[in-house]
């Protein structure tokens, strides 16, 4: 069991989105009549696709009959879902991924927080900055920290790669060679995405330095430009340097169902020659009893013709919101990024406000909740993230309120 120590205690007092929730709840307690528009947490609002609902009902009926009842799921996932994922998300795109290289889980966040367990404790990790907080927090909790610098409030084994407007939010190689590289594309929080050539450069770098890329593809369904890869395995050589984590939450509204998968090729080894496929299979089997049967059947339904079409329409509605929000903010004079291959809009806070100052300003003056960029890392300071997961009507109203500030 993890033992709390000084490294762990140097983490922020609470998780970023827990802090946002507490501040928002406190504001509502003082202003119960305020009509808030929530554009902070990346939670979807549209209901599950009809094909998914139908599959859930059918699976529940099966569970209610003795002859078709299911107990513990296979810890690595049912074959029907592993096959659907490998066939549709990978082999259909020319990626050589076998069914048994797919590990089904209860969500990409869980896998992001657990995958670091199969690596050496003294490994150096490199993360984009700004970055999804789970990457850093979970490694610190595991003790993968090195020395702590009070001046920079950073650990020596965590290398930040600044992603700013100056470099087009595309990270440069770190000064110190890492063992593990975290890449999220399309990116959370900036909403930007690496093109094929940019991602290939990172694959070549990882292979040359015997590093492993952990690639978060949670937002691949939002990609609309041809030159943006949906999977890192579209890059040559990725099988020998990459792990991919995928999600059903943002594309198919599974935030309340919980389903994800991690893809680990059998020929992947770390810098010390350890077989990561076998290590993850052992870890997964030891600590996990499998995603529920009914949820895995729901996941399978996402790959039917009806399911694919319904998901495409759902994503299209969110991207309509994103386009409207981005255009509106630009017309107001804001410096804005993202919103093209991603449901996230990344904007510069006006008048040199800090991220949290702008959070308080929007909450109090416009009753709009967003996410302070500094919560994602040092390079996120003075930036702010808005999501497009609400309704089109709420997106319009939020932009109207911000315009009137």
């Amino acid at each position: 069991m993890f033992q709390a120590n000084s490294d762990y205690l140097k983490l922020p007092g609470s998780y970023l989105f827990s802090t946002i929730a507490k501040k928002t709840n406190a504001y509502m307690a003082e202003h119960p009549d305020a009509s808030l528009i929530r554009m902070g947490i990346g939670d979807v609002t549209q209901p599950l696709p009809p094909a998914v609902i139908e599959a859930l009902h059918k699976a529940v009926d099966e569970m209610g009959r003795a002859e078709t009842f299911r107990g513990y799921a296979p810890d690595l996932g049912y074959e029907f879902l592993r096959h659907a994922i490998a066939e549709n998300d990978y082999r259909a795109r020319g990626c050589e991924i076998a069914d048994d290289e797919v590990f089904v889980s209860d969500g990409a966040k869980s896998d992001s927080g657990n995958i670091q367990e199969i690596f050496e404790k003294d490994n150096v990790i490199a993360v984009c900055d700004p970055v999804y907080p789970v990457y850093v927090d979970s490694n610190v909790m595991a003790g993968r920290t090195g020395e702590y610098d009070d001046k920079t409030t950073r650990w020596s084994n965590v290398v930040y790669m600044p992603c700013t407007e100056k470099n087009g939010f595309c990270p440069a190689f770190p000064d110190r060679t890492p063992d593990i590289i975290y890449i999220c594309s399309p990116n959370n929080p900036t909403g930007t995405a690496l093109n094929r050539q940019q991602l290939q450069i990172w694959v070549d770098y990882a292979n040359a330095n015997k590093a492993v890329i952990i690639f978060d593809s949670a937002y691949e369904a939002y990609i609309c430009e041809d030159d943006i890869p949906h999977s890192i395995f579209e890059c040559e050589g990725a099988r020998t340097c990459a792990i991919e984590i995928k999600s059903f939450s943002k594309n198919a509204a599974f935030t309340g169902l919980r389903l994800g998968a991690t893809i680990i090729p059998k020929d992947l080894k770390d810098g010390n020659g350890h077989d990561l496929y076998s290590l993850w299979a052992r870890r997964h089997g030891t600590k996990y009893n499998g995603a529920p049967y009914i949820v895995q059947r729901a996941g399978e339904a996402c790959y039917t013709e009806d399911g694919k079409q319904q998901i495409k329409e759902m994503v299209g509605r969110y991207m309509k919101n994103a386009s409207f929000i981005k255009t509106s903010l630009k017309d107001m004079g804001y410096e804005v990024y993202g919103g093209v291959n991603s449901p996230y809009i990344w904007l510069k806070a006006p008048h040199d406000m800090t991220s949290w100052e702008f959070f308080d300003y929007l909450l109090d003056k416009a009753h709009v909740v967003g996410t302070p960029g500094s919560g994602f890392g040092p390079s996120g300071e003075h930036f702010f993230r808005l999501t497009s997961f609400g309704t089109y009507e709420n997106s319009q109203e939020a932009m109207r309120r911000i315009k009137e500030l």
Side-chain angles (χ1 to χ4, degrees):
M1 180 178 292
F2 171 76
Q3 297 292 319
N5 56 37
S6 59
D7 293 332
Y8 176 69
L9 294 175
K10 289 186 178 75
L11 284 170
S14 62
Y15 184 54
L16 170 62
F17 296 103
S18 298
T19 302
I20 291 172
K22 290 176 183 177
K23 288 176 72 73
T24 302
N25 291 338
Y27 183 84
M28 286 302 297
E30 294 181 7
H31 306 84
D33 296 329
S35 176
L36 292 188
I37 298 178
R38 300 176 186 268
M39 304 175 74
I41 189 170
D43 196 0
V44 296
T45 56
Q46 294 183 53
L48 291 165
V52 170
I53 294 294
E54 182 180 350
L56 282 169
H57 281 297
K58 182 179 178 181
V60 169
D61 289 342
E62 289 181 45
M63 296 291 279
R65 296 190 296 269
E67 63 272 18
T68 52
F69 173 77
R70 308 280 183 136
Y72 289 125
D75 49 27
L76 305 185
Y78 283 104
E79 172 57 26
F80 61 77
L81 181 56
R82 299 172 86 184
H83 175 76
I85 292 171
E87 185 66 27
N88 290 275
D89 290 334
Y90 297 97
R91 292 195 288 267
R93 295 188 174 116
C95 307
E96 296 181 12
I97 297 297
D99 293 2
D100 61 358
E101 292 175 323
V102 177
F103 296 81
V104 176
S105 73
D106 60 351
K109 182 178 182 180
S110 296
D111 284 356
S112 294
N114 294 325
I115 194 69
Q116 45 76 20
E117 291 186 15
I118 65 175
F119 293 93
E120 299 287 350
K121 187 176 180 179
D122 63 352
N123 278 180
V124 173
I125 70 166
V127 295
C128 296
D129 171 28
V131 66
Y132 182 45
V134 170
Y135 305 155
V136 175
D137 288 9
S138 60
N139 277 280
V140 172
M141 289 176 180
R144 191 173 289 113
T145 54
E147 299 296 324
Y148 185 76
D149 187 329
D150 288 310
K151 292 182 179 179
T152 63
T153 65
R154 295 183 181 181
W155 297 269
S156 61
N157 280 8
V158 180
V159 180
Y160 286 84
M161 303 180 292
C163 297
T164 68
E165 60 269 42
K166 292 181 180 180
N167 61 16
F169 300 98
C170 177
F173 297 147
D175 294 335
R176 184 180 178 190
T177 302
D179 300 290
I180 307 167
I181 304 164
Y182 283 85
I183 296 177
C184 177
S185 181
N187 182 263
N188 177 16
T190 67
T192 57
L194 300 181
N195 62 35
R196 199 171 306 277
Q197 181 181 5
Q198 290 169 329
L199 189 55
Q200 183 66 58
I201 289 172
W202 276 101
V203 169
D204 295 342
Y205 171 85
N207 277 318
N209 290 279
K210 296 183 178 180
V212 175
I213 296 173
I214 299 178
F215 186 77
D216 187 341
S217 65
Y219 303 96
E220 64 84 15
Y222 293 83
I223 293 172
C224 62
E225 296 180 322
D226 293 337
D227 195 34
I228 307 298
H230 290 253
S231 166
I232 195 169
F233 296 114
E234 294 178 45
C235 294
E236 184 178 353
R239 282 187 58 88
T240 54
C241 72
I243 292 171
E244 182 162 314
I245 298 175
K246 66 179 283 84
S247 171
F248 285 77
S249 288
K250 303 305 193 298
N251 61 339
F254 274 47
T255 49
L257 284 182
R258 309 308 303 142
L259 187 66
T262 290
I263 318 305
I264 304 185
K266 293 179 182 177
D267 39 355
L268 176 65
K269 301 184 186 307
D270 68 6
N272 294 314
H274 296 142
D275 178 359
L276 295 180
Y277 176 90
S278 297
L279 285 173
W280 183 246
R282 177 59 188 271
R283 187 266 171 207
H284 211 57
T286 301
K287 294 189 174 183
Y288 188 60
N289 270 335
Y293 172 72
I294 61 174
V295 176
Q296 293 196 50
R297 281 297 186 192
E300 180 190 32
C302 295
Y303 297 102
T304 64
E305 289 306 311
D306 285 346
K308 289 178 181 178
Q309 182 59 36
Q310 291 160 9
I311 288 172
K312 182 178 179 180
E313 292 171 358
M314 178 185 296
V315 168
R317 294 189 190 101
Y318 292 137
M319 290 310 295
K320 178 183 177 182
N321 294 346
S323 178
F324 174 78
I325 294 167
K326 182 174 186 177
T327 300
S328 298
L329 290 170
K330 275 192 168 184
D331 289 345
M332 295 177 210
Y334 284 90
E335 187 178 327
V336 191
Y337 303 92
V340 177
N341 297 294
S342 165
Y344 295 126
I345 291 85
W346 187 243
L347 66 141
K348 194 76 170 282
H351 312 303
D352 204 34
M353 287 185 182
T354 68
S355 299
W356 280 106
E357 285 173 346
F358 191 56
F359 174 89
D360 292 334
Y361 180 67
L362 279 190
L363 178 61
D364 186 46
K365 304 300 182 182
H367 296 166
V368 172
V369 180
T371 307
S374 59
F376 296 101
S379 294
E381 183 58 277
H382 301 294
F383 277 88
F384 203 74
R385 192 193 76 174
L386 293 176
T387 79
S388 63
F389 287 124
T391 65
Y392 189 66
E393 292 73 22
N394 276 353
S395 298
Q396 289 179 307
E397 175 62 16
M399 293 304 101
R400 185 192 66 79
R401 294 180 187 181
I402 293 175
K403 186 176 181 179
E404 291 183 351
L405 292 176

